[in-house]
Amino acid sequence: MIALATRVVLARLLAGRTWAQNPILDQPLDPIEEILRSPNAKPKPVIAIYTSEAKGKPVGLETQGGRQNVRTNIYVYLPPSKIELPDSVTFSIDNVGSGLALNTIGRQIDRAMHLGNAAWVKVWRRFVTCIDEKTSRFVLVEIQSGVKIPCMEIVYELDCVADADFSRPLYGAWLELDTLLRADGAGSEGELLADHIKWLIEEPEGLLDYELFQANFGLTDAAFEATGLAPLPGSIDAEDGSVPDLEDVDAPQQGEIVPPQQVP
């Protein structure tokens, strides 16, 4: 979940703030197909984001607990021709022009993390507590037809907060992300994505309340029974697995209260 969230936020931060303009793709891609796909039939740079690795240290058996380290890859592809960029800039994609264009877009990517949309920057900093490392490298992608596509890969090692609990109402940065996505309007891609993330976090997946508690804290059956929160043996309905509600019981007093001085 945290890998998905950081990609979504980063894509929103970059949208419209680099020479690649829109959209920012959240997926690996076929560069030649995407570069040539443009509304005005003019090739333009393309940015793709995806997660190459995500790892974290579970807390006991709690897989979603503990801080997460997410390796986020950003690929910038340039079309193999002369292109017109925003601000009336024209580049001929050769060894000199491509290097300058890629370096410029790389700078724009970093800038968007600091000076992008304030609401999205705030959520980004809620999810990402530190960028441990940044690596950039330039690649010349050559496809079978002999067409060469200049490319830059930027890898960010993100130190992130713990993943979301299971079946817990949206909270903190997750709630802020949900609000921003839904601001796109009813039926929008943002709303559909918000619904999906909300479902992944809140949907109980058929687990009962006591099972959700056990799953969130990663407790074994024995440890869970020791908490006193597990259902009593024989109390679970054999057909639907439900547990009867607790009821107050008035127990008759079975003894006599005596003053302290009478206690032997």
Side-chain angles (χ1 to χ4, degrees):
M1 286 299 300
I2 196 67
L4 170 61
T6 52
R7 291 199 313 273
V8 169
V9 177
L10 186 54
R12 291 303 183 105
L13 285 175
L14 298 182
R17 294 187 175 270
T18 73
W19 278 350
Q21 296 296 297
N22 291 314
I24 307 298
L25 303 171
D26 177 16
Q27 61 187 22
L29 53 82
D30 175 358
I32 192 66
E33 178 183 353
E34 294 297 337
I35 285 172
L36 298 178
R37 181 188 301 170
S38 178
N40 58 8
K42 294 182 179 180
K44 67 180 185 65
V46 171
I47 293 179
I49 305 173
Y50 64 93
T51 302
S52 60
E53 184 179 67
K55 60 182 178 180
K57 186 174 179 58
V59 178
L61 296 176
E62 185 183 356
T63 56
Q64 75 279 15
R67 305 184 72 82
Q68 306 288 318
N69 183 268
V70 179
R71 179 176 296 168
T72 300
N73 298 60
I74 300 180
Y75 283 87
V76 182
Y77 299 98
L78 297 182
S81 63
K82 181 181 292 186
I83 58 173
E84 296 179 6
L85 297 169
D87 305 320
S88 300
V89 177
T90 300
F91 271 108
S92 178
I93 302 303
D94 52 26
N95 290 337
V96 177
S98 63
L100 180 56
L102 290 173
N103 276 307
T104 300
I105 295 176
R107 175 71 172 179
Q108 292 171 337
I109 290 172
D110 277 349
R111 182 182 63 189
M113 295 182 184
H114 301 278
L115 304 175
N117 180 285
W120 285 103
V121 169
K122 178 183 176 182
V123 176
W124 171 255
R125 292 176 178 174
R126 293 285 302 275
F127 283 124
V128 180
T129 59
C130 179
I131 300 177
D132 293 329
E133 191 173 275
K134 172 190 171 184
T135 304
S136 300
R137 68 188 185 105
F138 297 89
V139 182
L140 194 60
V141 179
E142 184 173 359
I143 58 180
Q144 291 182 353
S145 62
V147 177
K148 296 181 180 180
I149 301 173
C151 169
M152 178 172 62
E153 178 191 32
I154 309 175
V155 182
Y156 293 98
E157 299 282 352
L158 306 178
D159 189 18
C160 303
V161 297
D163 223 332
D165 283 338
F166 299 113
S167 194
R168 177 179 175 183
L170 292 177
Y171 59 94
W174 297 102
L175 184 57
E176 293 179 25
L177 175 61
D178 182 83
T179 301
L180 289 175
L181 289 173
R182 294 185 188 281
D184 290 350
S188 64
E189 182 179 348
E191 184 186 53
L192 294 176
L193 183 56
D195 287 341
H196 185 69
I197 293 175
K198 180 179 176 70
W199 173 77
L200 286 173
I201 295 175
E202 294 187 354
E203 176 62 41
E205 299 290 350
L207 297 178
L208 300 170
D209 288 345
Y210 73 90
E211 293 172 320
L212 292 171
F213 181 90
Q214 182 178 5
N216 277 328
F217 287 91
L219 300 175
T220 63
D221 289 344
F224 188 50
E225 290 175 2
T227 65
L229 298 175
L232 296 174
S235 65
I236 301 177
D237 189 285
E239 293 184 1
D240 60 8
S242 63
V243 179
D245 296 332
L246 294 177
E247 298 180 0
D248 292 334
V249 177
D250 293 327
Q253 186 170 320
Q254 300 292 330
E256 181 181 356
I257 299 177
V258 297
Q261 62 269 23
Q262 296 184 21
V263 177

